[in-house]
Amino acid sequence: NAAVPFMPEDKRRHMFIFAKLMESHYRYRGACDEFWFCTTGRGTPEGVKKEAERINASFRPLCEKAGIRFSYQQITTLGHVGARELPSDMRFSKDAYQVSKTGAKSTLLCPRSEEVLSYQKAFVKSVLEGCAPDSYWLDDDLRIGVPWLDGCFCERCIEAFNKKFGGKWTRESLVKKLFSSKVREKVRSQWIDFNAESLSLYAAKAREAADEINSPCRLAYQAVWSDTIYTGYNT
């Protein structure tokens, strides 16, 4: 696969990069079967749709001519960095962001925030309407530890975790148990399962968006290894 970020203000450079990729494709047939295109990581759904439409007009005909799948990769889901705001970020409410194990607010979005889930559905829908990709890939920042948060410890998530497993954890008591020196803790397996559910709730918004507009595109995930070992099976 080849990811081709497309930003409208730098179209000439990206057309040059795309042309070079095409040269490789024609020289080594079968080495690449799908190109990923990207829009702004976060922006208004209306703005993202316009970008997707420009990508569709510029690159789809060339992909179809070459017999390569024309696909989209969402370069930002929950976020990549926890130390600063991405330059293109929309401004969500403070409640939409994750909380670290120390209680500090992150710049990564919480996958259980209704505000975040609503935005994700609108974002995906805009892309599907704008360029109708053959595949829609969620970025690998949709995971527990990016970059070392190991899950969200906001009040919303702690409350949902307690409800799911019948616990009475506070953030402080849960963190102490999760990161104890013991090799195995039952609560770690529960925390992994809970976070997997959190991520699946987020990913499901792509499914809802595709179903609403009857899109035949393949929904996919750019998976990577886990950042932290808990009980050994979360890889």
Side-chain angles (χ1 to χ4, degrees):
N1 295 324
V4 183
F6 175 84
M7 298 300 173
E9 67 275 9
D10 202 9
K11 180 179 177 180
R12 183 179 299 177
R13 183 170 72 89
H14 290 111
M15 289 298 288
F16 174 79
I17 294 172
F18 184 77
K20 290 298 182 182
L21 288 171
M22 278 299 185
E23 287 180 15
S24 297
H25 167 68
Y26 284 118
R27 188 178 298 118
Y28 306 103
R29 289 282 188 173
C32 178
D33 60 6
E34 179 172 291
F35 281 168
W36 293 356
F37 295 88
C38 309
T39 59
T40 300
R42 288 186 193 142
T44 65
E46 296 79 13
V48 168
K49 184 177 180 180
K50 289 180 180 178
E51 288 185 45
E53 289 171 343
R54 287 193 286 266
I55 291 172
N56 187 66
S58 298
F59 297 104
R60 179 183 287 280
L62 299 175
C63 286
E64 291 179 346
K65 181 180 179 180
I68 297 176
R69 284 195 296 269
F70 173 85
S71 297
Y72 179 86
Q73 199 256 4
Q74 184 177 341
I75 59 174
T76 302
T77 58
L78 300 182
H80 293 82
V81 291
R84 61 180 175 83
E85 198 80 49
L86 295 175
S88 59
D89 265 358
M90 283 187 62
R91 294 297 178 249
F92 295 91
S93 69
K94 292 182 179 180
D95 185 58
Y97 291 96
Q98 294 188 42
V99 171
S100 73
K101 59 187 178 183
T102 65
K105 281 284 183 180
S106 167
T107 57
L108 307 185
L109 296 176
C110 174
R112 287 184 179 261
S113 162
E114 287 300 325
E115 183 181 351
V116 171
L117 294 176
S118 177
Y119 171 77
Q120 173 62 4
K121 181 177 178 178
F123 185 101
V124 176
K125 197 171 181 178
S126 293
V127 171
L128 297 182
E129 291 174 340
C131 66
D134 296 319
S135 301
Y136 189 110
W137 291 81
L138 294 172
D139 191 74
D140 61 8
D141 66 355
L142 186 63
R143 50 190 160 115
I144 297 176
V146 187
W148 316 296
L149 274 183
D150 304 319
C152 178
F153 296 89
C154 71
E155 292 182 5
R156 173 180 47 246
C157 285
I158 297 297
E159 181 180 352
F161 179 68
N162 283 331
K163 184 176 181 180
K164 182 176 177 65
F165 292 104
K168 294 183 179 180
W169 301 99
T170 62
R171 178 182 57 79
E172 292 80 5
S173 63
L174 178 60
V175 167
K176 183 177 181 180
K177 195 73 169 178
L178 285 173
F179 299 97
S180 71
S181 59
K182 291 185 179 179
V183 177
R184 304 236 177 228
E185 287 284 5
K186 180 181 178 180
V187 70
R188 289 180 184 161
S189 294
Q190 293 176 340
W191 188 242
I192 293 167
D193 291 342
F194 175 77
N195 279 279
E197 181 183 76
S198 298
L199 300 182
S200 69
L201 290 172
Y202 183 94
K205 291 302 173 180
R207 177 76 272 160
E208 290 181 19
D211 288 346
E212 282 191 12
I213 63 174
N214 196 27
S215 173
C217 93
R218 175 179 61 165
L219 301 176
Y221 173 61
Q222 182 189 354
V224 295
W225 59 87
S226 173
D227 294 90
T228 302
I229 296 176
Y230 288 94
T231 59
Y233 70 77
N234 63 323
T235 55

